[in-house]
Amino acid sequence: MLPRYSASSSNISTSTSVSISKDVSSLNLGIDDTNPLHIFVKGMSAAQARCYDLIPTLGISAAREAAVVVSLILVNELLYTGILFAAPARWVTDRMYEAGAGEDISMPFNILGAHHTLLLTTLQAGQWLVTALYALAVAAGVTQQARTGIANMFTEADRRTGPSSSKQTHQGSSHSSSSNSKASMNVTSTADTGRGGNVRATPTSALSPGEALQVVASAEAAKDAANKLFKEKHFGKAIEGYTAAIALNPKSAVYYSNRAFAHVKMENYGAAAADASKALEQDPRYIKAYYRRGDAQFMMGKVKLALKDFKLAAKVSPKDPDLKKKLLDCEKEVKRLRFEEALATPEAVAVSVMESLHLDTMDVEDSYTGPRMEGSSSQGYTCTGPFVTEMIEAFRVQKLIHRRYAFEIIIQTMAILKALPSLVDIPIAAEEHFTVCGDVHGQFYDLLNIFALNGMPSDKNPYLFNGDFVDRGSFSVEIMLTLMALKVLHPSGLHLARGNHESKSMNKIYGFEGEVKAKYSVQMADLFRETFCALPLAHCLAAKVLVVHGGLFQQDNVTLDDLRQIDRFREPPEDGLMCDVLWSDPSPLPGRTPSKRGVGLSFGPDVTKQFLDANGLELLVRSHEVKEEGYEIEHDGKLVTIFSAPNYCDQMGNKGAYITFNGSDMVPHFTKFSAVPHPDVKPMAYASNFMYGM
């Protein structure tokens, strides 16, 4: 009889005696070493017998728990591999329900999922005592220290008796072929642990059971540490931890899936999709991997592939409420895209939003009590310093300006941006200074903190904001109107660059489009989108420092003139120089490698050095990535990442930072700052419904 496994307890109840093997043997099938079911009976009986050998050491209750877990592992494996068909499978599940296990019987399978590889390896080798004790340790939820102690105990036993002393052969077993009897963790790769060392996996076929147990215990320790980092929102370090666990045990679907989730949090959607696929290679039933890959595909705009994943997951878990919602949202998005494609107007005949505006019909009512521009409805309005100051204060207390003024700011900014080249050269005299900020992502109150720390933009205190002004944060409208008004007020004192989030597809998913529609109108959302297409792609400071949002390029020999000649007045393409400059990321590896985001590329220190040397530059500054300290220096000091949205999305816990250059030497000086309080409006408040929970 099997005892009931309670979902509310970390241990298996010991109130009932354990002996499923006796019941199975009563089928009187006879012993046939070519019959998988009979091998199953023999194996389970032997495993349970070894569990009871533990009684003098652990006591009868603990030994019984181990026997139960071993039985469940065996049944789970046989059901999964299809060895137990029809009547035998029904007989096993019926015995479970009769024992009072009910649906709770799945709990041990879930708990032991990450340990599946080692347990099967030791079972196949006849190492029943190792399997039983380790199964007990995991099922009972014991600490990592206890598991390590168990591993050490068996390593010592191996040294005394040798690994072959407890082996039992299973001729004819479904696991006895030369390919399947090999240890599952046959790995020779290394992974950086994030602590300055490497973790190298050793094939378990070359290890004794105790040593193999230590390998998996180490993998679990790395995974547990990564989980802790994930909960603390240190997602980059969590990825390093999961990588170390995978290097030790590359057969665990859980490790790959967990790393995929961390990549999703870091917006590394290409890497997330790859990890989720790897998890499904290990366990096609692992539903979370379908979730992760579907999420990643959706965020890369591959909604049809995402829909396919969610449908596959629905076959495994048709009643999952979260999955139902994701599936419904994805289906709606696919239908919406098809509808838009059907109505799409060729770019050659598309009508400019600005040309369709009739500002003379937008009177500012006498009842309007907010900040007022100088001018009139008939003669137009002028953006002045006092107006900008009053507007910022209105935004601070969550009030909006009149729509006419908002349209005026956008239109006047558009006129300035259209006149600029795709790469803007900015001279900086020796006695001057210049500030570069990274992503601000709708975090308006943190933007105001930058101005409080470093002064308002002006011709004597110039700034460059390096893209990704919008999305994620729920005050993106306030940020855009503030930065645009300051651009109109000080054309040479505030510079704006395009980021990958200044695009229609990103705004639709991450919230800016929804926010503009909620605060103003669809027409204004379209005008913002058109204005984004006029933003320059790069800035060269004092002929020494190149600033771009993303990074470098797929090909060598790209010159600054090549950047100047990019036709930027469009939505970002999926490849080419414009795509790379908005999406690429640096990598510690030399050369060029596929992007972890699924768009652009990753480029190494050699690529950075070659580009800078060829163009007579000293430094590359880029943004695009969250950094825990707000900035990071890479590629032998030739590349700097700057990120200015502290505690990104109210969850990352990172610092923000900005760079100050002095014209005399153009050496970067960094200022770090923490997040400041903001009104109780959550990030992603206007985002696509699909984003909730991600």
Side-chain angles (χ1 to χ4, degrees):
M1 298 289 287
L2 284 170
R4 182 175 183 81
Y5 188 93
S6 172
S8 63
S9 171
S10 63
N11 288 307
I12 297 175
S13 169
T14 59
S15 60
T16 307
S17 297
V18 178
S19 184
I20 189 172
S21 59
K22 180 179 178 181
D23 291 336
V24 176
S25 300
S26 68
L27 291 174
N28 294 320
L29 296 171
I31 296 300
D32 177 358
D33 282 345
T34 64
N35 186 315
L37 180 58
H38 299 178
I39 295 168
F40 161 63
V41 174
K42 280 182 63 178
M44 191 156 58
S45 299
Q48 290 186 346
R50 295 311 298 267
C51 290
Y52 286 106
D53 290 343
L54 299 173
I55 290 175
T57 304
L58 300 177
I60 190 167
S61 296
R64 283 173 174 167
E65 290 185 10
V68 171
V69 173
V70 169
S71 301
L72 293 175
I73 296 165
L74 285 163
V75 172
N76 185 48
E77 171 65 8
L78 292 167
L79 287 171
Y80 174 46
T81 56
I83 294 174
L84 288 181
F85 294 104
R90 181 68 182 177
W91 182 90
V92 172
T93 54
D94 284 349
R95 297 295 78 73
M96 291 177 177
Y97 276 84
E98 287 174 9
E103 294 183 358
D104 289 340
I105 204 67
S106 64
M107 292 296 292
F109 302 159
N110 295 335
I111 291 173
L112 292 165
H115 312 272
H116 195 247
T117 299
L118 174 77
L119 295 169
L120 288 179
T121 301
T122 55
L123 282 171
Q124 292 160 21
Q127 301 288 359
W128 307 115
L129 190 60
V130 176
T131 303
L133 190 54
Y134 188 66
L136 168 62
V138 176
V142 299
T143 63
Q144 178 59 42
Q145 288 83 352
R147 284 186 229 150
T148 303
I150 293 169
N152 291 338
M153 183 179 72
F154 274 99
T155 300
E156 180 61 28
D158 293 334
R159 282 195 288 267
R160 291 198 311 267
T161 64
S164 62
S165 61
S166 61
K167 283 189 177 181
Q168 299 178 21
T169 58
H170 282 235
Q171 301 296 329
S173 168
S174 61
H175 295 300
S176 63
S177 68
S178 60
S179 60
N180 288 337
S181 62
K182 292 180 180 179
S184 298
M185 294 184 294
N186 189 10
V187 183
T188 57
S189 63
T190 62
D192 183 35
T193 64
R195 293 180 291 277
N198 289 327
V199 174
R200 179 176 293 276
T202 303
T204 51
S205 56
L207 301 176
S208 68
E211 291 169 333
L213 188 56
Q214 283 188 315
V215 170
V216 171
S218 297
E220 277 296 288
K223 185 262 294 181
D224 291 343
N227 285 348
K228 185 174 184 292
L229 289 166
F230 187 97
K231 290 178 181 178
E232 294 171 351
K233 300 173 184 176
H234 300 302
F235 300 120
K237 291 182 179 178
I239 288 170
E240 294 177 0
Y242 294 131
T243 300
I246 289 168
L248 289 163
N249 180 6
K251 294 295 184 180
S252 171
V254 173
Y255 299 169
Y256 287 107
S257 183
N258 285 6
R259 191 171 69 176
F261 198 18
H263 276 304
V264 167
K265 291 293 187 180
M266 294 289 290
E267 300 184 18
N268 301 333
Y269 299 123
D275 271 349
S277 295
K278 194 68 177 178
L280 290 169
E281 288 179 18
Q282 312 310 315
D283 185 356
R285 304 172 302 166
Y286 194 59
I287 189 171
K288 284 186 179 179
Y290 289 108
Y291 273 46
R292 306 295 177 237
R293 191 168 68 181
D295 287 342
Q297 300 283 25
F298 188 93
M299 301 316 299
M300 289 189 290
K302 301 175 181 179
V303 293
K304 293 180 181 178
L305 290 176
L307 181 60
K308 181 179 179 181
D309 272 331
F310 292 133
K311 285 182 175 179
L312 287 170
K315 291 181 179 179
V316 178
S317 184
K319 296 182 179 180
D320 186 301
D322 185 51
L323 178 57
K324 284 183 178 180
K325 185 178 183 302
K326 285 182 179 289
L327 185 57
L328 180 61
D329 289 341
C330 199
E331 287 174 338
K332 287 180 179 178
E333 183 64 13
V334 169
K335 290 178 181 178
R336 184 192 65 77
L337 288 174
R338 288 173 178 166
F339 181 74
E340 285 188 356
E341 289 171 1
L343 297 179
T345 303
E347 289 187 14
V349 297
V351 178
S352 167
V353 178
M354 188 177 297
E355 293 175 4
S356 65
L357 282 175
H358 299 286
L359 294 183
D360 54 350
T361 65
M362 297 182 191
D363 293 329
V364 180
E365 302 83 0
D366 292 339
S367 59
Y368 171 71
T369 59
R372 287 182 177 268
M373 278 184 163
E374 291 184 2
S376 65
S377 179
S378 58
Q379 297 179 352
Y381 291 94
T382 302
C383 190
T384 63
F387 168 78
V388 173
T389 300
E390 290 180 31
M391 178 186 71
I392 290 173
E393 290 308 308
F395 289 162
R396 193 192 299 271
V397 295
Q398 293 184 269
K399 293 182 179 179
L400 296 174
I401 60 173
H402 194 279
R403 63 174 183 142
R404 173 63 188 270
Y405 300 148
F407 274 114
E408 287 281 1
I409 291 169
I410 301 169
I411 290 171
Q412 291 177 34
T413 303
M414 169 83 88
I416 296 171
L417 296 177
K418 275 188 170 182
L420 297 173
S422 291
L423 185 154
V424 178
D425 292 284
I426 302 175
I428 303 173
E431 69 277 8
E432 294 177 340
H433 66 272
F434 193 91
T435 300
V436 178
C437 295
D439 306 33
V440 288
H441 274 300
Q443 297 183 198
F444 175 69
Y445 296 87
D446 294 309
L447 173 68
L448 297 187
N449 188 39
I450 293 174
F451 294 154
L453 294 170
N454 196 56
M456 292 295 293
S458 67
D459 291 347
K460 292 185 178 181
N461 189 33
Y463 282 79
L464 165 60
F465 282 86
N466 195 30
D468 279 12
F469 321 115
V470 301
D471 285 336
R472 294 283 191 180
S474 296
F475 300 95
S476 295
V477 167
E478 289 82 351
I479 279 194
M480 279 317 309
L481 291 177
T482 297
L483 292 178
M484 286 181 164
L486 289 168
K487 178 66 177 175
V488 172
L489 195 63
H490 305 290
S492 299
L494 186 78
H495 302 271
L496 302 173
R498 192 174 192 175
N500 63 300
H501 274 265
E502 279 69 60
S503 67
K504 181 180 179 180
S505 60
M506 301 298 280
N507 297 163
K508 188 174 292 294
I509 295 172
Y510 288 95
F512 183 59
E513 180 181 290
E515 182 182 343
V516 180
K517 290 178 180 178
K519 294 178 178 179
Y520 285 102
S521 66
V522 173
Q523 190 177 40
M524 187 176 290
D526 290 339
L527 184 61
F528 270 122
R529 175 182 55 78
E530 197 168 294
T531 306
F532 288 161
C533 292
L535 287 165
L537 301 176
H539 293 76
C540 188
L541 311 182
K544 294 182 178 181
V545 178
L546 181 68
V547 185
V548 297
H549 180 72
L552 297 181
F553 314 100
Q554 293 280 0
Q555 65 266 35
D556 291 326
N557 304 318
V558 174
T559 66
L560 297 185
D561 280 339
D562 292 331
L563 301 185
R564 293 186 181 98
Q565 294 169 18
I566 295 175
D567 177 12
R568 71 183 189 274
F569 294 96
R570 53 178 172 157
E571 289 299 312
E574 294 185 0
D575 53 31
L577 295 183
M578 184 173 175
C579 173
D580 295 342
V581 83
L582 295 175
W583 279 98
S584 294
D585 295 293
S587 166
L589 301 175
R592 296 174 174 88
T593 52
S595 170
K596 58 192 175 184
R597 299 177 188 267
V599 187
L601 74 150
S602 295
F603 58 96
D606 55 327
V607 176
T608 298
K609 183 179 186 305
Q610 187 277 330
F611 175 83
L612 294 176
D613 290 347
N615 287 281
L617 299 170
E618 297 176 359
L619 183 68
L620 176 66
V621 175
R622 43 91 64 181
S623 302
H624 197 39
E625 286 185 283
V626 181
K627 297 298 179 182
E628 290 206 17
E629 295 302 313
Y631 73 95
E632 186 173 3
I633 302 171
E634 302 173 78
H635 290 187
D636 302 317
K638 296 181 180 297
L639 182 147
V640 171
T641 297
I642 190 73
F643 193 84
S644 304
N647 194 25
Y648 182 43
C649 293
D650 284 359
Q651 67 171 345
M652 299 293 284
N654 61 291
K655 300 285 188 181
Y658 55 83
I659 306 173
T660 302
F661 290 100
N662 294 315
S664 58
D665 57 17
M666 292 303 291
V667 173
H669 301 273
F670 302 94
T671 300
K672 299 189 294 184
F673 56 94
S674 299
V676 297
H678 63 77
D680 189 21
V681 181
K682 302 298 183 187
M684 310 292 287
Y686 303 96
S688 164
N689 289 336
F690 189 89
M691 293 297 296
Y692 295 146
M694 288 183 60

